[in-house]
């Protein structure tokens, strides 16, 4: 974008050389009775319009209003398609820069309630530039004054008498105080950093170093949402947006703030679900001689019921388990926690017999949660003898990865837990060779690929077989390679779906 030329009055900000906004081609010549329009925002009427017929003026103004509405509609449509806080901030920065006629800017997400998350996003600014701007005292920077000067909404009861007024009846029967909306400050325009009064010398120094001469800061706040942050756009030359640009960026900013508020609530909900999920799973894997363990757990936005476990057992044995509970959300997480805790108890009592462990788990699930099903695989490992005995209930078979073979373990087919009439699937015994890694995983790893089941198994086998020889001594590296190969884009947190669990055990 070309630099903004110095202006003498607000209407001088209009320039036909600015790039187009939201698909409005600014290179189209303006009608002879109007001045050149803003990019996507038609200019206001000029004094010369007084000589034009009234019908022409009305038509021109209607065209301007329609163009403004079209521009805002297209910009807000693009914004509402973003599904992450960072994505929304970047989209808002780009659209706002075009609306105010700037080239660079930054947005700071800093909710006033202090619950986070916080972030800083730049437009046309490197990470080092953002750090340099943050060295300016907050009281001197325009965005800092907005962040520090915007009050919170008054708490319930603020401004009301502490005691019940006479004649109000029983104590405590006074009506609840309405929540007062927060007061939103006005945007801050610094037309010329060199001549603006009251600026800290550090502010002028940073502006000279980064090559900007003016700024326009907008609070990301509304009366209901409170303060979420602030955005500031930087001009290469002394300038400030005219009244029309201010009006448009104000409308867009209020919409952007409401959208950010919704995304913030979603992000916080995801963080709470992730925290609960991690608390229900092992905080660390045990260290047992003869075997090295690694696990990778990826969860969706609502949290699923996939789980894993690894617990030391008597006589140097080790219990390994993976499973999945039907459903998503808090109820699935609670069921997963109960099922995992029960399996640990059964494993301690009779872990050397995986069929008995899963039989007890089947009976418990049928009696306590008859409407829910689950899959599970439990393996009783003796690392010193490199011996594993395992049984599964409706679960995918383990995969053995080594220098000389990559193959699935042949297990008997069985229905999921909660759907069995009697237990018929026997256990399976295998002996991994020194240096081989056994992969236990949940069905989410296969289903997240989006392929049919047979093709997903083939892709998993190919991914395990392609692990570089140098990485096969590290179970974590093996798990990472398989995940990168099957899910190259990672687990999209915005897409609903099953969790992914991958537990790797390498035998020495």
């Amino acid at each position: 974008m070309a630099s903004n030329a110095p202006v003498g009055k607000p209407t001088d900000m209009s320039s036909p050389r600015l790039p187009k906004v939201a698909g409005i081609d600014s290179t189209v010549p303006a009608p002879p009775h109007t001045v050149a329009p803003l990019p996507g925002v038609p200019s206001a009427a000029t004094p010369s319009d007084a000589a034009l017929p009234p019908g022409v003026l009305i038509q021109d103004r209607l065209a301007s209003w329609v163009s403004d509405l079209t521009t805002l509609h297209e910009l807000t449509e693009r914004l509402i398609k973003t599904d992450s806080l960072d994505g929304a901030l970047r989209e808002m920065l780009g659209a706002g820069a075009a609306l105010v006629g700037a080239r660079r800017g930054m947005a700071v997400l800093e909710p006033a309630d202090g619950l986070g998350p916080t972030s800083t996003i730049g437009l046309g600014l490197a990470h080092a530039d953002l750090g340099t701007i943050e060295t300016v005292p907050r009281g001197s920077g325009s965005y800092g004054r907005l962040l520090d000067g915007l009050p919170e909404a008054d708490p319930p009861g603020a401004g009301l008498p502490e005691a019940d007024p006479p004649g109000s009846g029983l104590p405590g029967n006074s009506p609840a105080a309405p929540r007062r909306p927060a007061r939103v400050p006005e945007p801050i325009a610094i037309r010329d950093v060199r001549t603006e009064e009251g600026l800290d010398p550090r502010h002028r120094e940073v502006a000279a170093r980064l090559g900007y001469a003016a700024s326009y800061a907008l609070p990301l706040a509304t009366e209901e949402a409170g303060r979420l942050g602030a955005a500031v756009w930087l001009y290469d030359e002394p300038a400030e947006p005219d009244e029309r640009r201010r009006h448009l960026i104000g409308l867009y900013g209020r919409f952007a703030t409401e959208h950010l508020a919704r995304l913030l609530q979603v992000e916080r909900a995801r963080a709470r679900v992730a925290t609960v999920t991690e608390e229900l799973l092992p905080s660390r894997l045990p260290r047992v001689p003869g075997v090295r363990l690694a696990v990778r757990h990826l969860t969706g936005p609502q949290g699923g019921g996939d789980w894993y476990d690894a617990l030391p057992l008597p006589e140097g044995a080790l219990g390994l388990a993976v499973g999945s509970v039907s459903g998503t959300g808090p109820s699935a997480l609670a069921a997963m926690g109960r099922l995992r805790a029960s399996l640990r108890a059964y494993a301690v009592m009779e872990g050397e017999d995986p069929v008995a462990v899963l039989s007890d788990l089947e009976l418990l699930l049928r009696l306590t949660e008859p409407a829910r099903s689950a899959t599970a695989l439990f393996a009783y490992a003796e690392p010193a003898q490199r011996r594993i005995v395992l049984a599964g209930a409706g679960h995918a078979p383990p995969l053995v990865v080594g220098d000389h073979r990559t193959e699935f373990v042949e297990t008997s087919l069985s229905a999921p837990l909660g759907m069995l009439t009697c237990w018929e699937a026997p256990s399976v015994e295998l002996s991994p060779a020194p240096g081989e890694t056994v992969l236990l995983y949940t069905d989410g790893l296969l289903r997240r690929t989006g392929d049919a089941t047979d093709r997903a198994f083939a892709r998993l086998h190919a991914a395990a077989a392609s692990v570089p020889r140098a990485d096969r001594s590290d179970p974590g590296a093996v798990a990472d390679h398989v995940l990168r190969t099957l899910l190259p884009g990672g687990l999209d947190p915005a897409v609903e779906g099953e969790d992914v669990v991958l537990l790797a055990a390498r035998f020495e």
Side-chain angles (χ1 to χ4, degrees), residues 26 46 48 154 170 231 258 297 300 312 376 402 418 439 448 459 484 503:
S26 59
T46 62
S48 62
D154 294 332
L170 296 176
E258 295 296 340
H297 179 213
L439 297 179
R448 281 283 186 169
R459 288 185 58 189
R484 284 195 306 268
L503 178 61

Side-chain angles (χ1 to χ4, degrees), residues 421-446:
T421 56
C422 62
W423 193 274
E424 298 178 352
S427 61
V428 176
E429 182 175 332
L430 68 145
S431 298
E436 288 187 332
T437 299
V438 179
L439 297 179
L440 310 181
Y441 52 93
T442 58
D443 293 341
L445 179 62
L446 303 173

Side-chain angles (χ1 to χ4, degrees), residues 78-409:
R78 291 210 307 253
L79 177 65
I80 205 170
K81 292 178 181 178
T82 58
D83 53 15
S84 67
L85 287 172
D86 280 1
L89 288 172
R90 294 185 189 281
E91 175 63 31
M92 183 270 303
L93 267 182
L99 288 175
V100 302
R103 186 172 66 89
R104 294 177 291 174
M106 62 180 283
V108 179
L109 182 68
E110 190 177 299
D113 57 15
L115 300 179
T118 61
S119 65
T120 301
I121 302 295
L123 173 68
L125 296 171
H127 183 72
D129 297 335
L130 296 177
T132 301
I133 294 176
E134 290 177 346
T135 63
V136 177
R138 285 171 68 104
S140 177
S142 53
Y143 79 92
R145 284 151 59 188
L146 292 177
L147 291 176
D148 294 338
L150 178 60
E152 276 279 26
D154 294 332
L160 295 181
E162 297 183 1
D164 294 327
S168 61
L170 296 176
N173 287 344
S174 57
R179 182 181 183 272
R180 294 186 179 181
R183 295 179 294 275
V184 180
E186 294 296 322
I188 299 177
I190 300 178
R191 189 179 184 279
D192 192 339
V193 175
R194 294 169 296 181
T195 60
E196 184 79 12
E197 296 181 0
L199 292 187
D200 188 275
R202 177 61 180 169
H203 191 164
R204 305 185 200 276
E205 177 185 345
V206 168
R209 177 181 301 181
L210 299 182
Y212 69 88
S215 65
Y216 185 74
L218 182 76
L220 299 178
T222 62
E223 292 81 358
E224 295 301 323
R227 184 201 78 196
L228 300 185
V232 58
W233 290 276
L234 308 176
Y235 297 94
D236 295 338
E237 301 290 342
E240 63 180 332
D242 59 22
E243 181 179 356
R244 195 169 194 186
R245 288 178 181 264
R246 289 173 182 256
H247 179 65
L248 288 177
I249 191 60
L251 293 175
Y252 181 78
R254 283 193 287 274
F255 181 87
T257 301
E258 295 296 340
H259 182 60
L260 287 171
R262 291 189 290 270
L263 292 178
L264 181 64
Q265 295 303 317
V266 172
E267 183 66 26
R268 288 177 173 177
R270 290 174 180 170
R272 288 192 292 267
V273 168
T275 300
V276 172
T277 302
E278 294 303 321
E279 290 296 325
L280 291 174
L281 296 174
S283 57
R284 62 178 182 177
L285 297 175
R287 294 185 178 181
V288 177
V291 65
R292 294 171 58 194
L293 302 175
V295 68
R296 300 294 183 264
H297 179 213
L298 307 177
T299 185
Q302 293 189 3
D306 286 18
W307 53 276
Y308 65 90
D309 208 345
L311 66 156
L313 297 175
E315 301 179 359
L318 176 68
L320 301 174
V322 292
S324 177
V325 175
S326 60
T328 60
S331 62
L333 291 176
M336 178 265 283
R338 293 190 293 269
L339 201 66
R340 173 179 168 268
S342 301
L343 184 140
R344 290 176 70 92
Y346 298 146
V348 170
M349 292 187 295
E350 47 193 3
E352 68 279 0
D353 186 356
V355 171
V357 172
L358 294 184
S359 297
D360 293 341
L361 205 60
E362 153 72 17
L363 179 60
L364 175 71
L365 189 66
R366 189 188 308 171
L367 294 177
T368 60
E369 301 186 54
R372 192 180 296 276
S373 64
T375 66
L377 186 146
F378 178 73
Y380 177 81
E382 296 175 309
Q385 290 76 33
R386 291 196 302 276
R387 174 177 174 268
I388 300 177
V389 181
L390 60 89
H395 207 82
L399 181 62
V400 179
V401 182
D403 293 335
H404 304 291
R405 64 168 175 169
T406 300
E407 60 185 27
F408 289 102
V409 178

